[in-house]
């Protein structure tokens, strides 16, 4: 009789494990989620630099674009009294220029997007000004433009 009870308990535990595995590996539509399958989510973002303060005449910040991300959003808030310029380069501070621009000294947030898919790797955001500058930098990565 104990042998039968052990078999019944074993079957019940196995059924519970199978049900739990099914619930954790399928979405709400009942379809199994496969590894590396594109998500139904239209945009996934990852913040790699958040509210980073910078000051002086030159600054450099480095970030990595990992697999699965292709687009960059860079936001500056110039808290200084003079405009400053920025450049984003791939691989090094003197590598291939991705984008550049000038950020006015108006205290507002100014956002720049990559409109072309970027490859994985290290990127560098350099800021400079002839006079002292101060500001805040945010960098986010996305799976789609904007």
């Amino acid at each position: 009789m104990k042998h039968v009870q052990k078999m019944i308990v074993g079957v019940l535990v196995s059924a519970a494990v199978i049900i739990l595995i099914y619930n954790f590996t399928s979405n709400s539509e009942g379809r199994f989620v496969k590894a590396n399958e594109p998500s139904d989510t239209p945009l996934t973002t990852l913040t790699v630099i958040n509210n980073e303060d910078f000051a002086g005449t030159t600054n450099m910040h480095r970030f990595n674009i990992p697999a699965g991300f292709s687009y960059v959003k860079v936001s500056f808030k110039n808290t200084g009294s003079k405009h400053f310029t920025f450049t984003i380069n791939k691989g090094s501070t003197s590598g291939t220029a991705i984008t550049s621009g000038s950020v006015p000294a108006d205290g507002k947030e100014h956002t720049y997007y990559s409109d072309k898919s970027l490859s994985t790797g290290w990127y560098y955001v350099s800021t400079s000004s002839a006079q002292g500058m101060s500001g805040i930098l945010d960098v986010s990565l996305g799976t789609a433009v904007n």
Side-chain angles (χ1 to χ4, degrees):
M1 188 64 158
K2 282 189 173 194
H3 182 65
V4 172
Q5 286 177 336
K6 286 182 181 180
M7 285 181 58
I8 291 172
V9 169
V11 169
L12 291 174
V13 168
S14 297
V17 168
I18 290 170
I19 290 169
L20 286 172
I21 290 172
Y22 176 80
N23 284 337
F24 284 113
T25 60
S26 65
N27 65 13
S28 61
E29 297 171 342
R31 159 177 93 76
F32 281 100
V33 177
K34 297 176 186 169
N36 300 324
E37 181 179 78
S39 172
D40 292 335
T41 305
L43 176 65
T44 301
T45 61
L46 172 66
T47 300
V48 292
I49 298 176
N50 188 26
N51 290 325
E52 185 76 24
D53 291 325
F54 60 90
T57 57
T58 61
N59 280 275
M60 186 276 302
H61 294 85
R62 183 174 87 155
F63 65 92
N64 185 41
I65 297 180
F69 293 91
S70 301
Y71 297 91
V72 176
K73 177 179 106 176
V74 180
S75 297
F76 296 99
K77 185 173 185 181
N78 187 345
T79 58
S81 60
K82 303 288 183 184
H83 81 280
F84 63 83
T85 59
F86 75 93
T87 305
I88 300 176
N89 299 82
K90 178 166 177 34
S92 71
T93 55
S94 60
T96 303
I98 303 305
T99 191
S100 62
S102 180
V103 180
D106 59 5
K108 297 178 182 176
E109 184 174 284
H110 295 272
T111 302
Y112 304 86
Y113 298 92
S114 62
D115 59 350
K116 295 180 183 168
S117 178
L118 301 175
S119 61
T120 59
W122 288 102
Y123 290 79
Y124 296 78
V125 179
S126 301
T127 55
S128 65
S129 176
Q131 291 86 19
M133 63 180 162
S134 64
I136 298 171
L137 169 66
D138 290 317
V139 178
S140 297
L141 307 177
T143 56
V145 176
N146 294 334

